[in-house]
Amino acid sequence: MKKIFAANWKMYKTPNEARSFFSEWQKSHFKFNSNNSEVFFFPTALSAESVSQSISGLNLNWGVQNAYFEKEGAFTGELSMNHAKEMGAAAVLVGHSERRTLFGETNSMLAKKNSWAQQTGVTPFYCIGETLEERNQEATLKVLDRQLREGLVLAKSEDALVVAYEPVWAIGTGKVAEAPQIKEAHLYIRSVLDSLGFTQSQILYGGSVKPETAAELIQIPHVDGFLVGGASLKVDSFQKIIGSI
Ligand code: PGA
């Protein structure tokens, strides 16, 4: 199975900045092996068109960071997955921890988003992960179990779906989880996914992934790629992460 390298640009990079990023990318003549790797960019919705145009011919994919679970309607300010699909989006982040904590997204809402993404033909990247408090209470596996079972209850195991494990305490903190912690979590997620029939779903690790740590982390069993925030904003550092396999 191909490794997945995904860039979560959060609320960074204007359309012009996104264009500059890809012109630098092009000038770098960077090549990755598309037989064993896939690369996704998740820009802001307003920079999506500029990303979609800029990556043409570069063998890269893009997606949106969030979208609603209805095709269309009276949902002022929301983003339609169908519109994203029409623009060429291949994927959508579902339930990133910032959506869960800052915007109140719940497992049951995310279950609808995962399902609607699949129905629209946009691959959901379903994000899960425990807080520091939950880890300290030794509740990590229980939390992951719940996020998986509740969030995937409407999803179809035969349709594409990717899971991203991102310990909340490791996101944007520079504090990457330790190898045994990642190993335990990924092994557990794999077993739950398999028991639910999602045997083909890949599991990404996210949380302060950097070029210096990527080569070691990618060797951990059941780490099928990365979801990268901060280190994906610079061409050079994200390319080094992609080059870690
Ligand atoms: P980070 O973000 O790499 O900056 O920790 C990861 C994410 O939020 O997806």
Side-chain angles (χ1 to χ4, degrees):
M1 221 182 289
K2 291 184 185 182
K3 300 281 187 201
I4 294 176
F5 298 92
N8 175 10
W9 279 358
K10 310 195 179 194
M11 207 171 76
Y12 294 104
K13 292 205 189 291
T14 65
N16 281 339
E17 288 166 348
R19 263 187 281 274
S20 307
F21 178 96
F22 289 107
S23 84
E24 193 183 329
W25 184 285
Q26 214 148 8
K27 280 189 204 128
S28 74
H29 297 294
F30 172 73
K31 291 246 174 328
F32 63 93
N33 184 351
S34 55
N35 292 321
N36 63 14
S37 312
E38 273 183 297
V39 180
F40 289 80
F41 285 88
F42 292 91
T44 68
L46 292 176
S47 293
E49 190 170 7
S50 119
V51 168
S52 148
Q53 289 165 352
S54 306
I55 64 174
S56 158
L58 292 178
N59 210 356
L60 304 169
N61 307 286
W62 71 273
V64 286
Q65 299 172 8
N66 172 45
Y68 200 53
F69 50 77
E70 296 279 354
K71 183 179 174 201
E72 59 187 2
F75 306 107
T76 302
E78 279 297 333
L79 208 92
S80 162
M81 291 199 205
N82 302 69
H83 298 187
K85 170 82 180 165
E86 188 183 296
M87 285 174 67
V92 54
L93 296 183
V94 175
H96 186 278
S97 84
E98 286 145 25
R99 301 293 320 167
R100 290 177 186 263
T101 51
L102 301 174
F103 302 101
E105 298 200 353
T106 60
N107 289 338
S108 63
M109 195 189 281
L110 300 172
K112 292 186 195 165
K113 293 192 174 192
N114 281 324
S115 167
W116 186 245
Q118 287 187 325
Q119 288 176 60
T120 313
V122 176
T123 303
F125 280 41
Y126 179 48
C127 304
I128 60 173
E130 81 287 0
T131 62
L132 188 57
E133 197 185 357
E134 288 161 343
R135 176 160 285 275
N136 289 340
Q137 288 166 353
E138 296 183 8
T140 299
L141 301 185
K142 206 173 95 194
V143 169
L144 299 180
D145 194 88
R146 196 158 167 203
Q147 289 173 331
L148 286 168
R149 285 176 203 281
E150 292 183 3
L152 298 180
V153 70
L154 304 171
K156 289 217 165 69
S157 58
E158 59 274 25
D159 290 350
L161 183 128
V162 172
V163 169
Y165 169 59
E166 300 200 300
V168 178
W169 49 273
I171 296 177
T173 57
K175 212 196 245 178
V176 74
E178 286 167 23
Q181 295 173 320
I182 299 175
K183 190 174 169 190
E184 181 193 35
H186 279 242
L187 186 63
Y188 186 74
I189 294 166
R190 181 76 272 153
S191 72
V192 175
L193 286 175
D194 286 350
S195 76
L196 296 174
F198 293 86
T199 54
Q200 299 305 308
S201 286
Q202 286 145 290
I203 309 167
L204 314 184
Y205 170 76
S208 297
V209 175
K210 301 275 179 290
E212 302 78 48
T213 49
E216 186 199 339
L217 299 179
I218 202 77
Q219 299 299 331
I220 299 173
H222 306 300
V223 170
D224 304 316
F226 300 125
L227 181 55
V228 187
S232 73
L233 294 169
K234 293 228 161 68
V235 171
D236 179 54
S237 67
F238 191 48
Q239 288 181 342
K240 282 191 178 131
I241 290 171
I242 298 168
S244 66
I245 55 162

